[in-house]
Amino acid sequence: MKAVIIGGGVAGPVAAMALQKVGIDSTLYEAHPTGAHGVGATMGLSINGLAALQILDAHRAVADAGFSCPRGVMWLGNGRRLGEDVPTSLPDGTTAIQLLRADLYAALHEHAATRGVRIEYGRRLVEVDHRGDQVVARFADGGEAVGDVLIGADGMRSATRRFVAPDAPRPRYCGIFGTNGFAHSLDLDTEPGTFHMVFGRRAFFGYVRREDGCVWWFVNVPASKEPAPAELAAIAAEQWQHRLHELLAVDASPAARIIQATPPGYDWFVSHQMKAPRTWHRGRAVLIGDAAHVTSPSSGQGAAMAIEDAIELARCLRDMPLTLALPAYQQLREGRLRKVHAGAQQVNRSKSATGLGRVLRDAMFPVLMKRFGSPQALAWLYNHRIDFDSKVTSGMG
Ligand SMILES: Cc1cc2nc3c(=O)[nH]c(=O)nc-3n(C[C@H](O)[C@H](O)[C@H](O)COP(=O)(O)OP(=O)(O)OC[C@H]3O[C@@H](n4cnc5c(N)ncnc54)[C@H](O)[C@@H]3O)c2cc1C
């Protein structure tokens, strides 16, 4: 079997390595001229994602591209501590990490390349078609690639999805936009690697100190109307710094100080989420990662879900003929994805609450945290481990 993989973000290189492990040859086609784009954006990779990468012996290479972040602490803007989150680490001591998105892409690409995965850059898919018993990918440069299966790992604006699920729901705005930054030379009294999340009065703020003292942070600002990226970029950085300071100074947290200690200059992102379409496959083409379902950044799970998808798909292709493997893969994944989506929606609602909604949120939060934020309540998410060696006999496992 030969696989054509579209997209070299997170899901694509992981799919290529997982397919190699089960003896399926693949070539990966990435639209950008290189694999590392969006240089400044930071992200967290959760322990379930790293556990999935361990199946491919790729978890250490990725963990070494970031820094260990084993603990999360949640706060209200009034300084009340809501609780903490310490997902179990892997048996070799690997914990959840923070890293630059570009470094995650680079680590996965390097790891895949050292294993002999073929990656062609500057190849943008424009059309998918079937020819006899094969599937054909057509590229913007006029070329094509032919395979037995085509895996669409081409992200939120997936071109493969237009073919597989033309009536798929559109990504929907989640009520928040945000940015991130790095503060140096700041004396902050917090343990390195503890991620603080502050549900503030006017905005949500996350920050963590690295061993070398640099503070990584991000902010989510509520806005009922989706802002256009150009609208955000049109406001001068100094004005934004002043505005962010105003939004955050009302809270009992170091957020405003961190903003002041960061040279102004921001890349903005607008949060979206997209429900998975009814079917994730059509003929010989199948969707994985954000191409299949966009989980908003608030879930902290988008990359981990993309990794788990890629590995489960390889398992199904190893154990079943294609016509059964693709539905089985969807069945294995969709319930988990729905739960991650629902969780992210809840977090987004909390982050975007204003006025009376925010007052109610603050009143209810401690109770909700006990119910939904405890380690036991989150075990289904963080303790999920793919049993790669067990044979898939149906979509139930
Ligand atoms: C601001 C922000 C913060 C985030 N924070 C987190 C976080 O903390 N934790 C977390 O787990 N997730 C986070 N995410 C989500 C995470 O980045 C995504 O879920 C993850 O990257 C999905 O991986 P993917 O491979 O499916 O898609 P992508 O990483 O988007 O990769 C898709 C790839 O396909 C390529 N491509 C697109 N179209 C074509 C085409 N037509 N032909 C060929 N190639 C194409 C793209 O260039 C890209 O390389 C965040 C996302 C954002 C935007």
Side-chain angles (χ1 to χ4, degrees), residues 172-367:
R172 284 185 57 186
Y173 172 56
C174 300
I176 45 178
F177 65 93
T179 190
N180 71 288
F182 309 93
H184 299 275
S185 328
L186 185 69
D187 187 16
L188 207 59
D189 182 21
T190 173
E191 210 181 309
T194 294
F195 204 99
H196 297 273
M197 288 158 274
V198 186
F199 288 84
R201 293 177 173 94
R202 297 182 182 164
F204 174 90
F205 195 78
Y207 66 95
V208 56
R209 188 161 73 90
R210 243 178 19 187
E211 282 286 353
D212 65 0
C214 177
V215 177
W216 289 29
W217 60 266
F218 74 90
V219 65
N220 290 152
V221 181
S224 51
K225 185 174 163 284
E226 178 172 355
E231 214 180 304
L232 299 170
I235 297 171
E238 289 70 21
Q239 235 178 307
W240 265 125
Q241 189 184 36
H242 181 68
R243 174 90 183 111
L244 289 176
H245 189 270
E246 266 182 357
L247 288 171
L248 298 164
V250 292
D251 291 328
S253 89
R257 237 169 18 100
I258 294 172
I259 294 294
Q260 287 300 102
T262 306
Y266 311 100
D267 284 328
W268 295 96
F269 62 87
V270 176
S271 280
H272 290 95
Q273 183 147 291
M274 187 202 82
K275 271 196 193 153
R278 210 162 39 81
T279 40
W280 304 12
H281 52 91
R282 177 174 165 198
R284 293 178 169 272
V286 60
L287 304 172
I288 61 174
D290 277 12
H293 42 71
V294 180
T295 48
S296 79
S298 292
S299 71
Q301 282 288 332
M305 290 301 114
I307 293 165
E308 290 181 8
D309 278 0
I311 291 175
E312 288 288 27
L313 176 62
R315 250 184 96 212
C316 292
L317 289 169
R318 175 194 65 191
D319 294 344
M320 291 173 149
L322 190 85
T323 47
L324 297 180
L326 302 189
Y329 148 72
Q330 177 179 343
Q331 229 185 320
L332 274 177
R333 297 297 298 152
E334 60 190 352
R336 182 162 167 78
L337 256 306
R338 267 199 295 270
K339 276 176 92 168
V340 170
H341 262 228
Q345 247 168 344
Q346 225 167 34
V347 176
N348 286 329
R349 269 198 294 272
S350 299
K351 284 181 172 181
S352 58
T354 53
L356 184 61
R358 203 268 302 157
V359 175
L360 283 173
R361 176 200 75 184
D362 289 2
M364 293 299 295
F365 230 131
V367 183

Side-chain angles (χ1 to χ4, degrees), residues 6-12 29-32 37 42-44 101 105 123-125 153-156 159 269 288-291 297 300-304 306:
I6 306 299
V10 179
Y29 300 90
E30 163 57 43
H32 278 80
H37 39 275
T42 59
M43 61 180 292
R101 271 174 100 200
Y105 288 169
R123 310 289 315 267
R124 178 173 294 277
L125 177 96
D154 45 353
M156 182 162 82
F269 62 87
I288 61 174
D290 277 12
Q301 282 288 332

